[in-house]
Amino acid sequence: MINKSEFITAINCMDGRVQVPVIEWLKQEFNSKYVDMITEPGPNLILAESSPETKVNSIKERVEISVEQHGSNLIAVVGHYDCAGNLAEKEEQIKHIKSSIELVKSWGFEVDIIGLWVNKEWQVQKVA
């Protein structure tokens, strides 16, 4: 049986350099045991542009599983330095993160949603 208070959801880049820093930061900051990772190249750009629709729907379906089946009570949308899937600079990516949060909020999950930036030292910073 899954303890439903133990999960957090991260919509993160597939880039392996950001996985561990994001997982460790979320687990420490929110005292969780597990982080469900939903990965795409440049997910903050995909969600900000709501395109392509197939990827947006796929992300939404995976978030739904994390929230409804694992009881995740937090969703983090992540952007990072040197992203091959989102070539924008930090300031523009942060705008994408904030737009992504608005889209994820529109999906109606009753959870907290935050934005994270992973800098060139692979340190996690809360941005929204």
Side-chain angles (χ1 to χ4, degrees), residues 38 66 72 99:
I38 297 166
S66 182
S72 173
S99 294

Side-chain angles (χ1 to χ4, degrees), residues 4-114:
K4 295 195 177 229
S5 64
E6 297 179 335
F7 283 85
I8 286 177
T9 308
I11 302 172
N12 199 3
C13 187
M14 63 173 274
D15 189 325
R17 299 173 294 179
V18 296
Q19 304 300 315
V20 172
V22 168
I23 290 168
E24 288 177 349
W25 189 90
L26 287 169
K27 287 171 78 172
Q28 180 177 352
E29 192 72 19
F30 295 97
N31 197 31
S32 64
K33 284 190 176 181
Y34 310 107
V35 179
D36 286 342
M37 295 299 275
I38 297 166
T39 66
E40 293 289 341
N44 55 340
L45 180 61
I46 292 167
L47 295 175
E49 294 183 342
S50 294
S51 180
E53 187 176 349
T54 54
K55 286 188 179 184
V56 174
N57 289 337
S58 175
I59 293 169
K60 181 179 178 184
E61 288 169 5
R62 290 178 279 160
V63 168
E64 183 175 18
I65 291 168
S66 182
V67 170
E68 293 183 3
Q69 300 300 315
H70 288 170
S72 173
N73 58 8
L74 177 83
I75 299 168
V77 179
V78 184
H80 74 94
Y81 165 80
D82 194 34
C83 181
N86 184 348
L87 300 175
E89 296 296 324
K90 176 182 178 180
E91 295 74 23
E92 188 68 21
Q93 282 207 47
I94 289 173
K95 290 179 186 176
H96 296 158
I97 291 168
K98 291 177 180 179
S99 294
S100 296
I101 289 170
E102 293 308 309
L103 176 65
V104 174
K105 282 181 181 176
S106 78
W107 295 343
F109 300 112
E110 294 187 19
V111 299
D112 292 328
I113 305 168
I114 63 170

